[in-house]
Amino acid sequence: MGRAALNGFMGDPAEAGAAIFLGDCTEVIARNIPAQYVNMIVTSPPYADQRSGNYGGIHPDRYVEWFLPKARAFKDCLAPDGSFVLNIKEKAVGGEKHPYVYDLVLALRREQDWRLVDEYCWHKRNCYPGKWPNRFRDSWERLYHFALSPKFKMRQEEVMVPMGDWREKRLASLSDTDMLRDESRHGNGFGKRVENWVGRDMAYPTNVLHMATECGHKGHPAAFPKALPEWFIRLFTDEGDTVLDPFAGSGTTLIAAIGLGRKAIGIDTQAEYCEAMRSAVRALS
Amino acid sequence: MGRAALNGFMGDPAEAGAAIFLGDCTEVIARNIPAQYVNMIVTSPPYADQRSGNYGGIHPDRYVEWFLPKARAFKDCLAPDGSFVLNIKEKAVGGEKHPYVYDLVLALRREQDWRLVDEYCWHKRNCYPGKWPNRFRDSWERLYHFALSPKFKMRQEEVMVPMGDWREKRLASLSDTDMLRDESRHGNGFGKRVENWVGRDMAYPTNVLHMATECGHKGHPAAFPKALPEWFIRLFTDEGDTVLDPFAGSGTTLIAAIGLGRKAIGIDTQAEYCEAMRSAVRALS
DNA sequence: CTGCACTATGAATCGCTAA
DNA sequence: GTTAGCGATTCATAGTGCA
């Protein structure tokens, strides 16, 4: 392979390009994953004080100190042009949104030099029902895109979306002015040039993602929908690259990665989840 | 009135319940607005380093120190059960999203005891075009809801929306332009007035708002769509209450407030904008 | 008053070049 | 070195005018 091998990778051929480790991700990464081995990290860590039945729950006030050593390990095993996508959302405590997510992001920037490239908004079309006197249902989550350098791998063409219907009417009959670059009232060089869009039916997406949550999950309590890691994996990796989910849970990220022809590494502290992941991955082949 | 009067309020009867002040909001509030006089503050301040042609531009690194004294004044003039809605979004600097918004929110919490109740997501359906190697178009902005106490005024029924499938069916039978005209006549895409939908199934909204920015703005560089302040004014005030916009700009908030039977106070540092607001408010009566 | 065509523009960002 | 200016790139919507 010409580079350091992953300890224990491909231990089970039936696992079709997936390695699954039981344990705390900080230690597993230190022991088993060579430096700069991973092309991308996508994960949805346990949120503060949530899922206490499964993970014991991290108190919001301690979340940052709990997370930082793990992020340090992520940095060690991530390739220089790799990306780290973090799905997280704060919860309400005492009628307020707790600021631990903000504290975490600022700490990652200032203490570990992660570059905060963008904050994607995942709009959950079918969010959890409920009613409270002081707030509405929380219908969106954050997906932070961190990188280690200004130039990271990004394949924008892989996630293009159909253009709006406006173009059909508009481009069917191009007016004279549409054929010219319109520089009017923009000193900044921006001018519409509708002509550019002839023959084009796809547009680049925005940083707002509309996806429904998957209901009826058995086993793991709070997985994101498979389409979510899929989208970022296509955007930030090539085929054959390696994707890591250090809080793999039910294994959604691994399934998505393998389905897209990437290699996958999953880590979880719970033996049941590791077992479930193994079964799910095996079922793919 | 049984409470302190606003200095200079109603100076011009033609202004129909609106007071417009020229100056820095910190000073205007101290001089002209009694303590706890205002029921709600909705505003979209100049973003860091933007609009240098109009407002001089505040450097991102200095934004927090620029904003905090103003927020202190807001606190002084806001009623104990009032709300403060802040529309803001960070910008990209050197390939990263600058963290000044996070710094500001944390400072408001920790230095001034503002309660961060929720962060609404405004999804801008028609965001600015553009293509860059490292990011997609930014299609959402933040709307922070701050309060001074756990029990604030909130009228959730006023912003209920018709439930999905019925609304789509009805609008599908109208032509596209019909629908557009219908929506714009009623001012927003949310709900129009609840009375119009009696007998229909209504649902509470979520904290994600889908609204297009208004095109064809002249004069002021960055007004949010009128439907945005309208929505929050209906949610957090009653008729006859007083709404303050300390960075009033083109006066969108005032127009929205007056149209909903609220009193309005606008402050801006630019004489032109104050004049434009006066004209716009006069045109309402 | 409706339907259709056409126009204008909105809180943008990166990278290069010149000073 | 550092900064300021300008070109290039890009969609979706509201508004206006006209038949």
Side-chain angles (χ1 to χ4, degrees):
Chain A
M1 286 181 74
R3 64 174 184 175
L6 179 68
N7 294 341
F9 196 64
M10 301 297 289
D12 179 2
E15 281 175 16
I20 293 158
F21 294 102
L22 170 67
D24 176 83
C25 56
T26 312
E27 291 156 31
V28 169
I29 290 171
R31 259 200 318 261
N32 298 284
I33 306 182
Q36 310 191 349
Y37 185 88
V38 162
N39 298 99
M40 181 191 190
I41 298 170
V42 202
T43 197
S44 187
Y47 297 0
D49 218 358
Q50 304 277 104
R51 305 195 279 193
S52 47
N54 296 285
Y55 283 99
I58 302 101
H59 192 280
D61 296 340
R62 303 242 171 115
Y63 199 83
V64 176
E65 64 183 76
W66 174 82
F67 199 95
L68 282 181
K70 295 161 174 36
R72 170 72 61 188
F74 302 165
K75 208 179 155 184
D76 292 338
C77 73
L78 187 61
D81 67 345
S83 284
F84 168 31
V85 175
L86 177 64
N87 169 222
I88 197 167
K89 190 72 193 274
E90 60 277 2
K91 64 168 296 193
V93 177
E96 283 192 277
K97 291 286 185 176
H98 195 281
Y100 73 91
V101 174
Y102 282 16
D103 287 325
L104 174 62
V105 170
L106 294 178
L108 288 174
R109 262 181 57 95
R110 290 177 184 156
E111 296 181 26
Q112 299 190 7
D113 292 319
W114 287 96
R115 297 174 58 85
L116 174 54
V117 180
D118 207 357
E119 182 179 340
Y120 290 79
C121 167
W122 167 28
H123 171 227
K124 300 187 281 188
R125 253 209 56 128
N126 57 342
C127 67
Y128 209 77
K131 182 178 186 320
W132 300 270
N134 55 348
R135 70 184 66 251
F136 290 129
R137 289 170 295 152
D138 194 354
S139 188
W140 66 286
E141 299 206 8
R142 313 164 190 285
L143 284 149
Y144 290 106
H145 174 206
F146 291 101
L148 295 175
S149 84
K151 297 225 180 245
F152 47 83
K153 187 186 286 192
M154 191 177 196
R155 312 298 187 217
Q156 302 193 357
E157 316 72 37
E158 295 298 316
V159 292
M160 291 183 83
V161 293
M163 265 179 125
D165 342 334
W166 62 272
R167 65 171 285 283
E168 279 157 39
K169 293 171 190 163
R170 185 70 185 286
L171 298 179
S173 58
L174 274 182
S175 66
D176 290 344
T177 40
D178 274 352
M179 298 297 290
L180 298 169
R181 182 180 197 86
D182 179 11
E183 293 284 3
S184 61
R185 57 203 307 116
H186 278 276
N188 58 3
F190 173 82
K192 77 177 157 59
R193 190 168 174 180
V194 178
E195 191 212 345
N196 274 355
W197 295 322
V198 175
R200 208 186 287 187
D201 46 4
M202 301 293 273
Y204 293 100
T206 70
N207 62 357
V208 174
L209 307 174
H210 302 273
M211 270 173 227
T213 56
E214 278 160 10
C215 331
H217 252 291
K218 31 197 170 272
H220 195 263
F224 44 28
K226 189 174 148 221
L228 205 53
E230 260 171 3
W231 195 83
F232 286 102
I233 289 168
R234 278 165 48 199
L235 181 58
F236 292 127
T237 66
D238 296 311
E239 278 193 42
D241 280 358
T242 299
V243 176
L244 165 66
D245 186 344
F247 307 97
S250 60
T252 310
T253 302
L254 306 220
I255 308 288
I258 295 167
L260 291 168
R262 276 73 170 170
K263 292 176 194 129
I265 306 176
I267 308 174
D268 205 281
T269 57
Q270 306 292 307
E272 311 88 275
Y273 294 143
C274 288
E275 269 318 304
M277 267 188 272
R278 259 182 251 276
S279 312
V281 166
R282 245 181 239 121
L284 286 184
S285 51
Chain B
M1 284 178 77
R3 63 176 185 174
L6 179 67
N7 295 341
F9 195 65
M10 301 294 289
D12 181 2
E15 281 173 16
I20 292 158
F21 295 101
L22 170 68
D24 175 82
C25 56
T26 311
E27 291 155 32
V28 168
I29 290 171
R31 260 199 318 261
N32 298 284
I33 306 183
Q36 309 192 349
Y37 185 88
V38 162
N39 299 99
M40 182 191 190
I41 299 170
V42 200
T43 197
S44 188
Y47 295 1
D49 217 2
Q50 305 278 114
R51 302 197 286 194
S52 48
N54 295 284
Y55 283 99
I58 304 102
H59 193 282
D61 297 339
R62 304 236 176 114
Y63 199 85
V64 175
E65 62 185 76
W66 175 82
F67 199 95
L68 282 181
K70 295 164 175 32
R72 171 70 62 187
F74 301 166
K75 207 179 155 183
D76 292 338
C77 73
L78 187 62
D81 67 346
S83 284
F84 168 30
V85 174
L86 177 65
N87 169 221
I88 198 165
K89 187 75 195 263
E90 59 276 4
K91 63 172 295 193
V93 178
E96 284 191 276
K97 290 287 184 178
H98 194 283
Y100 77 91
V101 174
Y102 282 16
D103 288 325
L104 174 62
V105 170
L106 294 178
L108 288 174
R109 262 183 56 96
R110 289 176 185 156
E111 295 180 26
Q112 298 190 6
D113 292 320
W114 285 97
R115 296 174 60 86
L116 173 54
V117 179
D118 206 357
E119 182 178 341
Y120 290 76
C121 167
W122 167 27
H123 169 43
K124 299 189 283 188
R125 276 145 58 220
N126 61 337
C127 68
Y128 207 87
K131 182 184 188 314
W132 307 277
N134 54 349
R135 69 183 67 253
F136 291 129
R137 292 170 290 152
D138 193 355
S139 189
W140 65 287
E141 299 204 9
R142 311 167 189 282
L143 284 150
Y144 290 106
H145 173 206
F146 291 101
L148 295 175
S149 83
K151 297 224 177 246
F152 47 86
K153 188 187 285 192
M154 189 177 197
R155 311 297 187 218
Q156 300 194 357
E157 316 73 37
E158 293 298 316
V159 293
M160 290 183 84
V161 292
M163 271 169 84
D165 122 325
W166 166 81
R167 174 188 165 83
E168 269 136 45
K169 236 182 294 172
R170 165 157 196 260
L171 294 181
S173 66
L174 299 170
S175 74
D176 284 352
T177 32
D178 249 356
M179 186 172 101
L180 286 175
R181 276 175 201 183
D182 197 42
E183 295 283 354
S184 59
R185 197 162 30 232
H186 288 84
N188 62 59
F190 285 98
K192 316 183 176 181
R193 297 200 61 82
V194 177
E195 307 90 68
N196 295 349
W197 310 112
V198 281
R200 301 294 176 186
D201 285 334
M202 304 293 287
Y204 291 103
T206 69
N207 61 356
V208 175
L209 307 174
H210 301 273
M211 251 177 280
T213 57
E214 282 160 4
C215 307
H217 261 288
K218 316 187 203 309
H220 193 265
F224 45 27
K226 187 170 149 230
L228 205 52
E230 258 172 5
W231 195 82
F232 285 103
I233 288 168
R234 278 165 50 192
L235 180 58
F236 292 128
T237 65
D238 295 311
E239 278 193 43
D241 279 358
T242 299
V243 176
L244 165 67
D245 187 342
F247 306 98
S250 60
T252 310
T253 302
L254 306 218
I255 309 288
I258 295 167
L260 291 167
R262 277 71 171 171
K263 292 176 195 130
I265 307 175
I267 308 173
D268 205 280
T269 58
Q270 306 291 307
E272 312 88 273
Y273 296 144
C274 288
E275 269 318 301
M277 266 187 273
R278 259 181 251 276
S279 311
V281 167
R282 248 183 236 118
L284 287 183
S285 51

